[in-house]
PDB file of all heavy atoms in Angstrom:
ATOM      1  N   PHE A 262     -31.338  -3.946  -4.408  1.00  0.00           N
ATOM      2  CA  PHE A 262     -32.571  -4.663  -4.763  1.00  0.00           C
ATOM      3  C   PHE A 262     -33.476  -4.732  -3.548  1.00  0.00           C
ATOM      4  O   PHE A 262     -33.050  -4.433  -2.432  1.00  0.00           O
ATOM      5  CB  PHE A 262     -32.262  -6.079  -5.282  1.00  0.00           C
ATOM      6  CG  PHE A 262     -31.287  -6.860  -4.445  1.00  0.00           C
ATOM      7  CD1 PHE A 262     -31.681  -7.417  -3.233  1.00  0.00           C
ATOM      8  CD2 PHE A 262     -29.959  -7.029  -4.859  1.00  0.00           C
ATOM      9  CE1 PHE A 262     -30.789  -8.137  -2.459  1.00  0.00           C
ATOM     10  CE2 PHE A 262     -29.060  -7.753  -4.086  1.00  0.00           C
ATOM     11  CZ  PHE A 262     -29.480  -8.306  -2.883  1.00  0.00           C
ATOM     12  N   VAL A 263     -34.736  -5.130  -3.772  1.00  0.00           N
ATOM     13  CA  VAL A 263     -35.609  -5.319  -2.610  1.00  0.00           C
ATOM     14  C   VAL A 263     -35.599  -6.787  -2.231  1.00  0.00           C
ATOM     15  O   VAL A 263     -35.474  -7.659  -3.093  1.00  0.00           O
ATOM     16  CB  VAL A 263     -37.075  -4.885  -2.898  1.00  0.00           C
ATOM     17  CG1 VAL A 263     -37.190  -3.385  -2.881  1.00  0.00           C
ATOM     18  CG2 VAL A 263     -37.557  -5.467  -4.216  1.00  0.00           C
ATOM     19  N   GLN A 268     -37.520 -13.777   1.732  1.00  0.00           N
ATOM     20  CA  GLN A 268     -36.391 -13.245   2.511  1.00  0.00           C
ATOM     21  C   GLN A 268     -36.892 -12.402   3.685  1.00  0.00           C
ATOM     22  O   GLN A 268     -36.340 -12.460   4.782  1.00  0.00           O
ATOM     23  CB  GLN A 268     -35.469 -12.409   1.617  1.00  0.00           C
ATOM     24  CG  GLN A 268     -34.539 -13.251   0.731  1.00  0.00           C
ATOM     25  CD  GLN A 268     -33.780 -12.404  -0.281  1.00  0.00           C
ATOM     26  OE1 GLN A 268     -34.354 -11.507  -0.894  1.00  0.00           O
ATOM     27  NE2 GLN A 268     -32.498 -12.688  -0.455  1.00  0.00           N
ATOM     28  N   GLY A 294     -28.392 -19.641  -4.679  1.00  0.00           N
ATOM     29  CA  GLY A 294     -28.880 -18.442  -5.348  1.00  0.00           C
ATOM     30  C   GLY A 294     -30.202 -17.921  -4.830  1.00  0.00           C
ATOM     31  O   GLY A 294     -30.749 -16.958  -5.350  1.00  0.00           O
ATOM     32  N   SER A 295     -30.717 -18.545  -3.790  1.00  0.00           N
ATOM     33  CA  SER A 295     -32.008 -18.086  -3.275  1.00  0.00           C
ATOM     34  C   SER A 295     -31.849 -16.858  -2.376  1.00  0.00           C
ATOM     35  O   SER A 295     -32.830 -16.297  -1.916  1.00  0.00           O
ATOM     36  CB  SER A 295     -32.719 -19.211  -2.525  1.00  0.00           C
ATOM     37  OG  SER A 295     -31.926 -19.660  -1.447  1.00  0.00           O
ATOM     38  N   GLY A 296     -30.626 -16.466  -2.118  1.00  0.00           N
ATOM     39  CA  GLY A 296     -30.414 -15.237  -1.368  1.00  0.00           C
ATOM     40  C   GLY A 296     -30.203 -15.433   0.123  1.00  0.00           C
ATOM     41  O   GLY A 296     -30.547 -14.567   0.929  1.00  0.00           O
ATOM     42  N   LYS A 297     -29.604 -16.569   0.492  1.00  0.00           N
ATOM     43  CA  LYS A 297     -29.347 -16.833   1.909  1.00  0.00           C
ATOM     44  C   LYS A 297     -28.288 -15.889   2.458  1.00  0.00           C
ATOM     45  O   LYS A 297     -28.378 -15.428   3.598  1.00  0.00           O
ATOM     46  CB  LYS A 297     -28.868 -18.283   2.108  1.00  0.00           C
ATOM     47  CG  LYS A 297     -29.866 -19.331   1.733  1.00  0.00           C
ATOM     48  CD  LYS A 297     -29.340 -20.730   1.996  1.00  0.00           C
ATOM     49  CE  LYS A 297     -28.131 -21.071   1.147  1.00  0.00           C
ATOM     50  NZ  LYS A 297     -28.421 -21.113  -0.297  1.00  0.00           N
ATOM     51  N   THR A 298     -27.265 -15.638   1.637  1.00  0.00           N
ATOM     52  CA  THR A 298     -26.137 -14.854   2.127  1.00  0.00           C
ATOM     53  C   THR A 298     -26.569 -13.458   2.578  1.00  0.00           C
ATOM     54  O   THR A 298     -26.132 -12.969   3.624  1.00  0.00           O
ATOM     55  CB  THR A 298     -25.042 -14.757   1.041  1.00  0.00           C
ATOM     56  OG1 THR A 298     -24.736 -16.089   0.606  1.00  0.00           O
ATOM     57  CG2 THR A 298     -23.789 -14.107   1.576  1.00  0.00           C
TER      58      THR A 298
HETATM   59  P1  LIG B   1     -27.265 -18.090  -1.736  1.00  0.00           P
HETATM   60  O1  LIG B   1     -26.316 -17.716  -0.651  1.00  0.00           O
HETATM   61  O2  LIG B   1     -28.573 -18.574  -1.235  1.00  0.00           O
HETATM   62  O3  LIG B   1     -26.665 -19.020  -2.733  1.00  0.00           O
HETATM   63  P2  LIG B   1     -26.910 -15.390  -2.456  1.00  0.00           P
HETATM   64  O4  LIG B   1     -27.293 -14.703  -1.217  1.00  0.00           O
HETATM   65  O5  LIG B   1     -25.468 -15.573  -2.751  1.00  0.00           O
HETATM   66  O6  LIG B   1     -27.619 -16.790  -2.538  1.00  0.00           O
HETATM   67  O7  LIG B   1     -27.654 -14.655  -3.639  1.00  0.00           O
HETATM   68  C1  LIG B   1     -27.361 -14.960  -4.992  1.00  0.00           C
HETATM   69  C2  LIG B   1     -27.331 -13.688  -5.798  1.00  0.00           C
HETATM   70  O8  LIG B   1     -28.620 -13.079  -5.806  1.00  0.00           O
HETATM   71  C3  LIG B   1     -26.366 -12.693  -5.213  1.00  0.00           C
HETATM   72  O9  LIG B   1     -25.699 -12.053  -6.273  1.00  0.00           O
HETATM   73  C4  LIG B   1     -27.279 -11.721  -4.453  1.00  0.00           C
HETATM   74  O10 LIG B   1     -26.730 -10.444  -4.394  1.00  0.00           O
HETATM   75  C5  LIG B   1     -28.544 -11.747  -5.308  1.00  0.00           C
HETATM   76  N1  LIG B   1     -29.755 -11.488  -4.547  1.00  0.00           N
HETATM   77  C6  LIG B   1     -30.024 -11.875  -3.284  1.00  0.00           C
HETATM   78  N2  LIG B   1     -31.249 -11.469  -2.914  1.00  0.00           N
HETATM   79  C7  LIG B   1     -31.780 -10.820  -3.971  1.00  0.00           C
HETATM   80  C8  LIG B   1     -33.023 -10.140  -4.217  1.00  0.00           C
HETATM   81  N3  LIG B   1     -33.961 -10.090  -3.294  1.00  0.00           N
HETATM   82  N4  LIG B   1     -33.198  -9.584  -5.423  1.00  0.00           N
HETATM   83  C9  LIG B   1     -32.245  -9.635  -6.363  1.00  0.00           C
HETATM   84  N5  LIG B   1     -31.060 -10.228  -6.199  1.00  0.00           N
HETATM   85  C10 LIG B   1     -30.811 -10.826  -5.016  1.00  0.00           C
END
Side-chain angles (χ1 to χ4, degrees):
F262 47 75
V263 284
Q268 282 172 317
S295 59
K297 297 182 296 296
T298 307

